[in-house]
Amino acid sequence: MTVTASPVPILSDNYAWLLRDSSTGATAIVDPADAQPIIEAIEKAGGRLDMILLTHHHGDHIAGVDEVRARFNCPVVGAAADRHRLPALDQAVREGDTVRLGSAVGEVIETPGHTRGQINFFFPDGAVLLSGDTLFSLGCGRLIEGTPAEMFDSLRKLAALPGDTLVCCGHEYTESNARFALAVDPGNEALHDFVGRVEQLRAAGQPSVPSVLADELKANPFLLAPDVASLAAVRAKKDKF
Ligand code: ZN
Ligand code: FE
C-alpha cells in the first residue's frame, strides 16, 4: 500500500496533483484551480474523488474547488489559519494534524513564507510531499506575506524529510529556476546534472516534477542557503533576476 502522485497541468504553468492510495483506490486532488481538466483527469483515473486538499488561498490553487466539490461531493481540507480566505472547509488543519486517504495518512506541515497560512502535506507511505508554492524544483516561493526567517524555517522542515521524498510542487518553474541557480552556483556539479535531466524531460514534453528531495538538497540554491541572511539574499537576488 502506497500513495502515488501524478501531476495534472492546468492554467499556464500550474500543477494540480492527483493522489491515489493503491490499497483502497481512494483518490484526492491537490489545488484544483481549473475544474474542467481536473474533472476529466479524475474521470480518466476511474471517476472517484474522496478528498480535495488545498495548500494555500491563491486563485491559481483554489479557483476550481467549488465546481469539483459539487461534481464529486467530497470534503475539502485546508489550513485553519486561512479559513477566512479559502473555500468552505470540511476539515481545517494545523501543524501535526493528519488527513486520511483510504489507508494512507498524510501529515500536515505548516510552511509560512509565500503566504502566512501555507501548508504542505506529506504522505510517508510513498514519500509524497505536496509542497504547494513553498518549495519548487530548484526554487522556492516568493515571500509575498512571510519573512525570510519564516521561509528558512519552513524549508528546514521540508529538508528534514526522507531523501527519497518526491517533491510535488505547484508550478512548472524548473527551467527558469535552473537559469537562476546556474547563475548563482555555476560550479555545482550536482546542479548541472539536475539541469541536464530537466532539459531532457522538458524537451520530451514531460513535466520536470516531481523531483527527489535528496537531489534538491544538493542543487536548489534556497535549500543550500545555510542561514536566514543567506536565504534572504538569494531570494532578493532571484526577485530581480
Ligand atoms: Zn501562490
Ligand atoms: Fe501559485
Side-chain angles (χ1 to χ4, degrees), residues 1-3 21-24 103-104 125-126:
M1 53 169 202
T2 187
V3 172
D21 170 42
S22 62
S23 61
T24 59
S103 63
D125 195 359

Side-chain angles (χ1 to χ4, degrees), residues 191-207:
L191 171 61
H192 284 276
D193 292 348
F194 194 123
V195 174
R197 293 193 296 275
V198 167
E199 283 169 352
Q200 280 188 356
L201 285 165
R202 297 304 289 154
Q206 300 291 318

Side-chain angles (χ1 to χ4, degrees), residues 88-133:
L89 299 180
D90 300 284
Q91 189 186 349
V93 293
R94 296 183 187 282
E95 175 84 17
D97 286 348
T98 56
V99 295
R100 184 163 277 279
L101 178 66
S103 63
V105 173
E107 301 164 359
V108 175
I109 307 170
E110 290 182 343
T111 59
H114 175 66
T115 61
R116 214 164 286 124
Q118 184 101 190
I119 54 173
N120 289 180
F121 300 92
F122 177 62
F123 290 86
D125 195 359
V128 170
L129 171 69
L130 288 312
S131 66
D133 286 2

